[in-house]
Amino acid sequence: QMLANLDPHSQFFEPTPFVRLREEQAGTYAGIGMQIAMFEGSPIVEHPFPGTPAFQAGVRPGDAIRTVDGQKTRGRTLDEVVDLVRGLRGTAVRLGLQRDGQRDLVEVDVIRDTIPRPTVPLAFMVKPGIGFIQISSFGETTADEFDEAVKKLNQAGLEGLVLDLRDNHGGLLTAGVHVAGQFLEEGALVVSHRGRASRERRYYADPSADNRAYPMTVLVDCRSASAAEIVAGALQDHRRAVVMGQR
């Protein structure tokens, strides 16, 4: 009943999902460092993140997780499997993996560690003068990561930028305002919001010294949402970038 009186974009988080949300926003969590998905009722390793304990232990994409510390995963939800795998830094977890081409389970012991989750995973020069930056989400570390990425590309002679916001479901509003503000004139309005019981609040661009007026393209798709929409919309409204992709 309480949620029914709120706008349709409000969401209620139970304790465990809320902890995961905060981990995503903070940019780190304690675990072994791999992406898991459900396929035909079984948890499958999509890929281990480079340099993480899972990667170093030899976990491979496509491995089916059959057991975690001896507990079978069949019948469990994805969140339940993730909870089994995650734990305190420095503790061990044993995975029983079913691997293509091998009849018996592959037993792998992995020591949990702090896993960084960069929100700017890619930043490189596509060709001389043209840079590419991907932002996967907007969190507490995005501003610093993004500024460092732009600085690196500027030193390489950046003359045009492709900003990839595909599959970016958003995150912290302030992080989105910071990113958009780096490419707008100082004092330009990035976004404003108001609530039923709150006055309108406006957020303005505060660009850094590295800001340049080079041409930009922003890539979006049907999963670009929230703060990603704010960045793309602000750059489009101020005629600062061309937005390309899917509606």
Side-chain angles (χ1 to χ4, degrees):
Q1 181 63 30
M2 185 167 60
L3 293 175
N5 292 316
L6 299 177
D7 64 79
H9 303 290
S10 298
Q11 187 173 356
F12 173 76
F13 286 90
E14 293 189 1
T16 299
F18 182 71
V19 169
R20 293 220 179 92
L21 174 67
R22 291 296 299 124
E23 288 175 344
E24 182 176 332
Q25 292 176 340
T28 59
Y29 69 94
I32 64 175
M34 61 183 182
Q35 184 73 38
I36 305 174
M38 296 299 290
F39 180 73
E40 296 183 348
S42 297
I44 305 293
V45 177
E46 287 191 337
H47 60 271
F49 302 124
T52 62
F55 184 89
Q56 295 170 349
V59 176
R60 300 178 184 176
D63 285 346
I65 305 173
R66 300 305 186 196
T67 62
V68 179
D69 286 333
Q71 301 185 56
K72 294 183 178 180
T73 59
R74 179 172 293 276
R76 297 179 183 270
T77 66
L78 179 61
D79 286 343
E80 289 172 338
V81 175
V82 170
D83 287 339
L84 289 176
V85 173
R86 290 189 180 183
L88 297 177
R89 179 185 180 188
T91 60
V93 60
R94 170 166 288 190
L95 304 178
L97 306 174
Q98 188 71 58
R99 183 169 293 167
D100 283 346
Q102 300 192 29
R103 179 177 299 178
D104 298 328
L105 287 183
V106 177
E107 299 280 349
V108 178
D109 292 313
V110 190
I111 304 299
R112 298 180 177 99
D113 201 352
T114 300
I115 307 299
R117 296 187 61 174
T119 60
V120 184
L122 295 174
F124 59 91
M125 299 298 286
V126 178
K127 63 180 183 179
I130 306 300
F132 178 96
I133 296 178
Q134 180 191 41
I135 305 179
S136 59
S137 63
F138 290 91
E140 295 175 7
T141 61
T142 302
D144 290 338
E145 291 179 46
F146 185 77
D147 290 350
E148 184 62 29
V150 172
K151 180 179 179 181
K152 181 180 72 173
L153 296 185
N154 277 337
Q155 292 173 346
L158 186 62
E159 298 176 356
L161 179 65
V162 177
L163 181 62
D164 189 355
L165 300 180
R166 293 173 297 179
D167 292 311
N168 185 322
H169 55 76
L172 299 181
L173 172 66
T174 52
V177 170
H178 176 87
V179 170
Q182 300 311 298
F183 304 105
L184 301 176
E185 295 183 0
E186 185 173 1
L189 178 64
V190 177
V191 66
S192 65
H193 67 73
R194 60 184 179 274
R196 182 174 57 187
S198 62
R199 295 181 178 178
E200 181 181 37
R201 182 173 180 182
R202 294 176 168 239
Y203 295 83
Y204 297 97
D206 184 19
S208 68
D210 290 333
N211 181 45
R212 289 187 180 181
Y214 38 67
M216 289 182 61
T217 296
V218 179
L219 302 182
V220 298
D221 63 11
C222 59
R223 290 173 294 276
S224 303
S226 186
E229 294 174 287
I230 289 173
V231 173
L235 296 178
Q236 184 181 57
D237 286 351
H238 288 283
R239 299 181 181 276
R240 183 61 186 83
V242 173
V243 177
M244 298 183 65
Q246 298 173 315
R247 294 186 182 277

